Amino acid sequence: MDFKNPGISAARQNLRLLVYIRYIALGGQMVVLGAFSRFYHPESIVLLTWLIAIFFLIVVITHWRAHWHRPIPESEFCLHLLVDMLALTVLLYFSGGATNPFVSYFLVPISIAAITLPKLMTLAVALVAISAYSMLLFLYVPLPAFSPHAAHAASGMNLHFSGMWVNFLLSAVIITYFVVRMADALRAQERELKARQEEQMQNEQLIAIATVAAGAAHELGTPLNTIKLLAEDLLDTSDTKTRTDLATINEQIDICQRTLRSLTGLAGDMAKPVAAADVREYIGDLLDSWQLIRPDAFARIQVSEDAPQISAKFHPAIRQALQNLLNNAADASPERIDIDISWNRELLHMRIRDYGEGMSPAEAEKIGRTVTSSKPGGLGLGLYLTSSSLNRHGGRVGLANAADGGLITSVELSLVEENDYHPGEAQEVAK
């Protein structure tokens, strides 16, 4: 029995646990009725048998409800506990009332309510239990065998005290095992809620950054066009060396304009279905584009020759995320970068090694959670957006300082199958 499935709500897990508790209680009632039937009146045996049958029907219905996908509110779970106490009260009424040693079982639903329900509902369950116990002190069908002073003629065994021991043992097992499991389910739900809140905060940061980036892209378009026109005009009136420099400036302006156009068109691309691409071709095109943008960087690139020839779907944000990591390495040590790439049918692995100053443990701890940068004048957006994008689309980033200096950036990316990919859907990351 898996009571810690993260895909199941805490309320549903608790109701399933309550069902198993009911099965145990039902089995105990049947054993007691069978073992001590000679102490009951025949009419009471028939009546108790019908009551246990009705209780069994309630358990079966609850079992079905616990596996039905409709949400289970706290009020419904409270109602299930009240039903348990009602069934217990009726059974005790016809079997000695408060003299029945199993009357202290009322503590079990109170314990469950204290762990799983809000204060007001817990108070309601406790008041109902106290009222039922109090009523059973005066209203019940007497059962002499359960009297504290009655003893079995042959063995001297007192059924009341023996029943108290059995009830204590049963209650201790239920509280120790099942109630602890319920508490674990609630704690797991709290952790999941906290993770979702952090993800929501991260999404809000990403939206804010995207809004600023879109505004910057719009504002930079006009000055870039002006600079390009001025540079082209100066080409005709400059000497050879200046014309060479102006041509380089023109090329860089063209790169900036292409980057801005790709940024403004990214939102539209994300809304379109993504076609499957050959992994080797995708990686080759990615590296060629990056080397065109960063001609100053000298990289040793090793792409595995043994990697399978497969296709996968890559979200548009993944390309920019990987280029950000490559740019960070180029900024740290443009004179030397090692890039190793391999993949199998499930995962793509990329290892980027630079020979810069590396990263402090405090900076590495913040990656993907806050906007931080170790570069002079750096905004810290690159690593933050990269980590967020890859996490949302089936990947993860690891940073570690190399023993002989520099930083090793490890990327693990899920190669999504064609039928499993949906644009904009975040993939679950293996931790």
Side-chain angles (χ1 to χ4, degrees):
M1 295 180 293
D2 183 12
F3 298 125
K4 296 184 178 181
N5 189 337
I8 301 176
S9 68
R12 189 173 304 279
Q13 293 186 59
N14 290 339
L15 184 57
R16 292 182 182 181
L17 286 165
L18 182 61
V19 169
Y20 289 110
I21 292 175
R22 286 179 174 181
Y23 280 131
I24 294 174
L26 184 64
Q29 292 163 6
M30 295 174 65
V31 169
V32 170
L33 183 61
F36 304 110
S37 60
R38 62 184 181 277
F39 299 108
Y40 291 86
H41 298 293
E43 296 82 2
S44 298
I45 294 176
V46 174
L47 183 59
L48 290 173
T49 302
W50 275 105
L51 290 174
I52 291 175
I54 294 173
F55 185 47
F56 175 75
L57 181 61
I58 294 174
V59 174
V60 171
I61 294 174
T62 308
H63 189 111
W64 168 81
R65 176 64 183 95
H67 290 80
W68 188 25
H69 293 299
R70 184 177 177 181
I72 301 174
E74 292 176 333
S75 57
E76 180 183 340
F77 188 77
C78 179
L79 181 61
H80 284 289
L81 292 178
L82 294 177
V83 169
D84 282 357
M85 288 192 295
L86 175 61
L88 179 62
T89 302
V90 173
L91 287 172
L92 291 175
Y93 173 81
F94 290 101
S95 57
T99 64
N100 190 314
F102 289 92
V103 70
S104 59
Y105 186 82
F106 278 117
L107 291 175
V108 173
I110 294 177
S111 301
I112 294 175
I115 292 293
T116 60
L117 296 177
K119 291 182 179 178
L120 288 178
M121 291 185 183
T122 301
L123 179 61
V125 171
L127 289 176
V128 170
I130 293 172
S131 301
Y133 197 132
S134 301
M135 182 195 71
L136 291 171
L137 289 171
F138 306 100
L139 300 176
Y140 59 90
V141 176
L143 192 63
F146 279 153
S147 171
H149 303 291
H152 192 279
S155 64
M157 179 182 65
N158 186 288
L159 292 182
H160 181 82
F161 294 117
S162 299
M164 289 180 62
W165 180 84
V166 172
N167 182 60
F168 173 79
L169 179 64
L170 182 64
S171 300
V173 170
I174 289 175
I175 293 175
T176 303
Y177 183 76
F178 288 100
V179 175
V180 169
R181 290 294 184 119
M182 290 180 178
D184 288 343
L186 289 175
R187 284 192 288 268
Q189 187 180 48
E190 290 177 359
R191 289 193 296 269
E192 182 179 357
L193 179 60
K194 183 178 179 181
R196 290 185 178 181
Q197 289 174 340
E198 291 180 354
E199 183 179 355
Q200 182 178 359
M201 293 177 59
Q202 187 180 71
N203 289 339
E204 291 174 354
Q205 283 186 301
L206 290 174
I207 291 173
I209 292 170
T211 302
V212 173
H218 178 73
E219 294 174 4
L220 288 174
T222 300
L224 280 176
N225 288 332
T226 302
I227 295 172
K228 184 174 179 63
L229 290 174
L230 292 175
E232 290 176 348
D233 290 339
L234 290 173
L235 280 173
D236 299 330
T237 60
S238 303
D239 54 46
T240 303
K241 183 179 183 305
T242 304
R243 283 197 295 272
T244 302
D245 293 338
L246 289 172
T248 302
I249 291 174
N250 256 332
E251 291 177 358
Q252 297 302 311
I253 293 173
D254 289 337
I255 292 174
C256 292
Q257 289 178 329
R258 286 198 300 270
T259 301
L260 290 178
R261 284 195 296 269
S262 65
L263 177 62
T264 55
L266 186 58
D269 292 340
M270 288 184 177
K272 299 176 182 177
V274 180
D278 181 85
V279 175
R280 191 175 297 276
E281 292 180 2
Y282 179 86
I283 293 299
D285 182 62
L286 170 71
L287 295 174
D288 290 342
S289 299
W290 173 71
Q291 288 180 308
L292 181 63
I293 297 172
R294 298 300 299 261
D296 59 313
F298 178 77
R300 180 197 64 80
I301 301 174
Q302 181 66 41
V303 179
S304 175
E305 296 293 337
D306 299 330
Q309 194 75 18
I310 59 173
S311 297
K313 291 187 175 183
F314 298 93
H315 191 276
I318 292 175
R319 184 185 187 92
Q320 186 61 51
L322 296 178
Q323 285 188 343
N324 285 342
L325 295 177
L326 293 170
N327 286 333
N328 285 338
D331 291 339
S333 62
E335 69 285 349
R336 185 181 178 187
I337 305 170
D338 297 334
I339 304 173
D340 296 284
I341 302 174
S342 62
W343 63 89
N344 52 37
R345 295 191 177 277
E346 290 79 29
L347 294 173
L348 182 144
H349 302 274
M350 177 181 288
R351 182 180 183 274
I352 306 170
R353 165 72 191 277
D354 66 57
Y355 293 84
E357 297 181 357
M359 180 174 290
S360 70
E363 291 169 338
E365 179 70 19
K366 296 178 182 178
I367 294 303
R369 295 190 296 144
T370 58
V371 178
T372 181
S373 177
S374 60
K375 296 184 292 186
L379 299 178
L381 295 179
L383 278 174
Y384 179 79
L385 292 174
T386 295
S387 179
S388 299
S389 297
L390 290 177
N391 286 342
R392 290 175 63 84
H393 299 292
R396 60 180 179 180
V397 180
L399 300 173
N401 288 322
D404 53 346
L407 186 69
I408 299 175
T409 303
S410 302
V411 178
E412 187 176 275
L413 181 63
S414 174
L415 298 178
V416 184
E417 293 292 338
E418 182 172 354
N419 294 331
D420 295 336
Y421 181 85
H422 303 280
E425 179 180 343
Q427 304 296 324
E428 198 68 29
V429 181
K431 298 299 182 185

